Every structure is written in C-alpha cells, then in structure tokens.
Amino acid sequence: MAEAFGVLLGRPLDGEDAGAVYAAGIDGNLMDEIGFRTDPGWVRPAALRGEEPVPGFWVYDAAREEPRFDASRSLFDFAADGPGREALPPAFAAAVEAACFRPSLVRGADLAPLVEEHGVDLGDPAFKGAWSVRFARLVSDGTLFGAFAAALQTGRTPEELLEFEFDPEEEVAGSWAEELAAVGHPALRHHVAFFCTGGDSGLVPVDPGSRGHALAGDGCARVIGWEDGYGQIEVDVLRLSEQVAGPRR
C-alpha cells in the first residue's frame, strides 16, 4: 500500500520526515449540514480522553463502516462570541481559555480533565453553540502511512479495500491513468483511482499549494488532499506542527 500512496503523493513515503506527526482530517459543508461539528459524541469524557472513538458519518458509499474520529487529538473551538458561551460556568470557561494553545482553540486531550474537574457536560443543550470541532481528526497512528490509510479508508490488508462503483477508464482524470498503472494490485489500483477523478463519482486531488488549510496559520502543512465535485467533502493529510499535535503518547 505504501507504494500506491507514493503514487498519489508523487514521491515515496519513506522520503518524508520520520519524526513528524501526520494526521488525516475531514472537512466540508456536509459536516455543518448534518451538525457533526457539534455532535455530543465529541465531548463524552471517554472520547476526549482518547479511550473511545467518535463514530463518524458515511463519507464513501462503498465503505463497510463509518470512519472513526479521535476527539482527544482533534481541535475544539470555543469562540468568545459563540452562542451558548455565556451559559458556561465562569470558572470552567476561564480554565478552557487558559488551556487554549491559541485564542479559542484547544485540543481534546487538554479539554478532558477540565470537563471532569468542573463537572460540565458539554453535550447539554444549554451549551449549544459554545463549542464546535475545528479540526476533525481521524483515528490514526501519527505516521504518514497511517494518515493515508485513514483518509482513504484502505484498511491494512487487501481484504479491507473498498469496491467503489465507478469506471476508472472513464472517470480517472488527466494523466492519473498512466501514474496508477504503477500500482500492481488490481483491487488497490481501483481503490486509489477513486481519488483521481473529475469529481462526479469519485474525489478530485487538491494541489497542496493551491489554497491554504485552516490550520496553516498554526504551522501545519497540507501534504495531499481530495474533495468531491460538489463542495461537500474535503479530505486532507496534514503534517502537524508541534503545538497542534500536542505531546506524543
């Protein structure tokens, strides 16, 4: 699989910084439309501690299960002007502000002890609008390979690959057909081809330099990304800065 991921990236994965922390994240209008950024599942204490994942939503129709998100390593936004912010207990709000690594942004792992110490249930409707998820990070191991596998939902074995219902011969865009010929495993080639289309049935590759990522100002860099043709889903693999990655586990 590493070879196939390298084809998408345009260079071998082992040429990247082995000491860096990489992550996969999902963004896009669909998350707002279904209310996923403020789903109470994000703020369960066990989820914030990283002890259980947050069930996601169906990103790919061919998927066998919903992707799993890591609340502990995702970023939460407690905007000062957010509706519901005034309902937060003052001592808790002050503690959250102190835990933010920059104004309004806090890692889930740093939020976890505050929720328990102050006995605040952020899933309470009274606090609706006080917080939202800024960076929804998929469960992965921090490696570039792991981030690719999470973003593309390849799994780790050929049996876990998805059978996307599209015709690569008709829908793979530009020169990607020639590039993908280097992927020897047919099922793997079909899987990754889904991320090299014009956007009607599959996803479109995003040039990392074409536009900035929401976390670019925090020192993170987009390694590679994809989006659908309708502005609903964005999938990114990022190289995280130390302040966004937080302490290593």
Side-chain angles (χ1 to χ4, degrees), residues 5-247:
F5 298 159
V7 168
L8 296 178
L9 186 59
R11 57 186 184 274
L13 265 61
D14 58 13
E16 301 298 309
D17 183 359
V21 176
Y22 296 90
I26 295 181
D27 206 338
N29 294 334
L30 180 59
M31 293 178 65
D32 296 308
E33 292 172 6
I34 65 175
F36 186 61
R37 295 186 195 278
T38 56
D39 188 293
W42 283 105
V43 290
R44 296 191 312 270
L48 290 172
R49 292 193 301 266
E51 295 172 359
E52 61 183 39
V54 178
F57 53 95
W58 294 103
V59 178
Y60 310 126
D61 291 340
R64 298 182 181 89
E65 60 182 20
E66 298 171 331
R68 297 174 302 140
F69 290 84
D70 185 343
S72 71
R73 298 196 286 184
S74 294
L75 301 184
F76 292 78
D77 188 356
F78 282 78
D81 58 352
R85 177 64 185 264
E86 293 184 357
L88 293 175
F92 173 74
V96 170
E97 185 175 350
C100 289
F101 63 85
R102 76 162 169 84
S104 84
L105 280 192
V106 61
R107 288 178 290 268
D110 296 327
L111 181 60
L114 306 183
V115 166
E116 298 186 73
E117 178 185 345
H118 292 268
V120 174
D121 177 8
L122 287 172
D124 189 317
F127 303 135
K128 184 177 181 180
W131 62 272
S132 65
V133 176
R134 172 71 67 85
F135 174 52
R137 181 171 172 175
L138 291 164
V139 172
S140 66
D141 60 8
T143 67
L144 182 55
F145 181 95
F148 261 97
L152 277 56
Q153 282 190 242
T154 58
R156 297 277 178 158
T157 67
E159 292 74 27
E160 297 176 273
L161 295 170
L162 305 183
E163 298 179 3
F164 292 110
E165 295 184 3
F166 79 115
D167 186 347
E169 292 187 3
E170 294 184 2
E171 299 187 50
V172 169
S175 62
W176 278 110
E178 182 178 346
E179 300 291 336
L180 291 170
V183 181
H185 193 287
L188 179 57
R189 183 168 61 250
H190 181 88
H191 187 121
V192 297
F194 182 81
F195 298 85
C196 303
T197 75
D200 290 333
S201 298
L203 298 191
V204 184
V206 175
D207 181 353
S210 63
R211 64 174 186 269
H213 187 271
L215 298 179
D218 298 296
C220 300
R222 178 189 282 117
V223 177
I224 191 170
W226 304 269
E227 62 186 6
D228 71 344
Y230 308 98
Q232 292 293 88
I233 291 292
E234 299 174 16
V235 182
D236 287 301
V237 171
L238 303 177
R239 185 182 190 276
L240 302 183
S241 65
E242 290 186 7
Q243 68 173 1
V244 169

